[in-house]
Amino acid sequence: MAYTLEQFAADCKAALKADPGIGGQEKVRACVEKALKDEAFVEKHLGSATKDRDIIYQDPELGFCICAHAYGDARQGGPHDHGPTWAIYGQAVGETTMTDWKIVVPPEGEKPGEVVKTDSYVMKPGDAKLYPVGAVHAPYRAGPTKLIRIEGVDTMTVKRTPLKAAS
């Protein structure tokens, strides 16, 4: 039986209600991996997806979002965090080279913080990674990709830390 969006959302909600911290977020990451392994789920929610970002579910009680992302071309994202929330990236189609960064100079007023690279890895279909509150990362996509991303809250509604690579 296929993993439905309704069951996926219910599993995520149950995990976060039981533990809203890292433990619950890791259980949500495991749910993302389960969804990515379900070909019917991926086809239904990402097969014809064309938008950079589409919220396909937002929990009315806890506020977390399940987003479908589809990128048709190469993209280099800058170093960023998710403000006061966490996110889980789940690679469905294509590959994303992700770089992790560390803040070495905190932002001050209008001046962005400075970051340095700490790690780089390739996310392949089926991979899911949790980025806790404060984790800084940057994606690079050499070609078309599709992913599922869970956001602790809608990241379009929060202020993010202004950051730039240290010179």
Side-chain angles (χ1 to χ4, degrees), residues 122-145:
V122 176
M123 293 185 66
K124 298 181 180 198
D127 292 346
K129 171 94 170 143
L130 167 64
Y131 296 93
V133 173
V136 179
H137 56 280
Y140 169 70
R141 300 170 183 95
T145 58

Side-chain angles (χ1 to χ4, degrees), residues 13-167:
K13 184 172 187 165
L16 294 170
K17 283 191 84 139
D19 180 355
I22 295 289
Q25 294 162 23
E26 277 295 337
K27 287 182 180 172
V28 171
R29 187 193 58 73
C31 293
V32 172
E33 287 181 338
K34 179 179 177 180
L36 293 170
K37 290 176 185 168
D38 187 310
E39 291 178 19
F41 181 93
V42 171
E43 179 58 33
K44 181 172 184 176
H45 299 290
L46 292 168
S48 61
T50 58
K51 294 181 182 179
D52 284 1
R53 180 178 187 272
D54 184 21
I55 296 176
I56 58 175
Y57 175 83
Q58 184 166 12
D59 190 77
E61 179 184 357
L62 301 181
F64 71 88
C65 300
I66 300 173
C67 302
H69 294 269
Y71 303 100
D73 55 1
R75 299 262 176 110
Q76 174 66 62
H80 66 278
D81 66 7
H82 294 105
T85 193
W86 51 271
I88 298 167
Y89 286 63
Q91 193 74 35
V93 176
E95 294 183 354
T96 299
T97 300
M98 196 68 79
T99 303
D100 291 341
W101 301 73
K102 177 176 85 170
I103 297 175
V104 292
V105 178
E108 187 177 318
E110 296 297 312
K111 186 177 176 185
E114 295 187 17
V115 294
V116 295
K117 293 178 186 181
T118 60
D119 194 16
S120 185
Y121 45 92
V122 176
M123 293 185 66
K124 298 181 180 198
D127 292 346
K129 171 94 170 143
L130 167 64
Y131 296 93
V133 173
V136 179
H137 56 280
Y140 169 70
R141 300 170 183 95
T145 58
K146 294 185 178 186
L147 60 126
I148 291 287
R149 186 170 76 172
I150 310 293
E151 301 171 349
V153 299
D154 180 355
T155 59
M156 302 308 283
T157 67
V158 299
K159 183 175 180 178
R160 295 184 182 199
T161 308
L163 299 169
K164 69 176 188 173
S167 38

